[in-house]
Amino acid sequence: QVRLVESGGGLVQAGGSLRLSCAASGRTFSHYAMGWFRQAPGKEREFVAAFSRTGAGTAYADSVKGRFTISRDNTKNMVWLQMNTLKPEDTAVYYCAADDSWGVVVRTRPDEYYYWGQGTQVTVSS
């Protein structure tokens, strides 16, 4: 069982930055594929960024490439999402996700993750 707790969301002006944190429980955190997703009102949950299960691979949505950076520290059971040059269209609830099923590729679909956090709101004003 894994429990994920996100933090770091808030209100920021366009062009600003936020750093989201995801604290994970569990003794084998280093074996988990980790991802960030977001969901805006009236829209489906969409992929933002993720690590593969081994941590060797990363992937980003085209809309955030060059602006967002995912990182992890397995010794602290933490994953972060550094978000720079934020835009109003980045406004959404951001979710941390984890999965420990076998696989080497980076997972970019919500149905590929079993564990989810409660989400943290990010609002970017224009």
Side-chain angles (χ1 to χ4, degrees), residues 58-123:
T58 58
Y60 294 90
D62 288 343
S63 59
V64 307
K65 278 181 183 176
R67 300 188 297 122
F68 290 11
T69 303
I70 189 172
S71 59
R72 70 189 291 172
D73 186 334
N74 291 337
T75 65
K76 297 180 179 179
N77 282 17
M78 293 290 297
V79 176
W80 297 274
L81 184 69
Q82 178 66 45
M83 306 186 295
N84 298 328
T85 319
L86 283 161
K87 304 176 181 180
E89 52 263 42
D90 294 318
T91 295
V93 177
Y94 283 71
Y95 296 91
C96 178
D99 195 90
D100 64 347
S101 60
W102 186 88
V104 298
V105 298
V106 181
R107 305 165 200 206
T108 62
R109 300 196 318 266
D111 62 3
E112 293 179 302
Y113 290 84
Y114 187 78
Y115 302 102
W116 290 85
Q118 82 289 349
T120 185
Q121 176 70 47
V122 171
T123 302

Side-chain angles (χ1 to χ4, degrees), residues 28-70:
T28 58
F29 176 75
S30 61
H31 296 170
Y32 285 84
M34 300 296 301
W36 286 98
F37 291 77
R38 66 187 182 186
Q39 188 166 18
K43 294 188 176 181
E44 294 187 352
R45 192 166 297 189
E46 66 173 6
F47 169 72
V48 176
F51 273 108
S52 65
R53 188 169 180 264
T54 65
T58 58
Y60 294 90
D62 288 343
S63 59
V64 307
K65 278 181 183 176
R67 300 188 297 122
F68 290 11
T69 303
I70 189 172

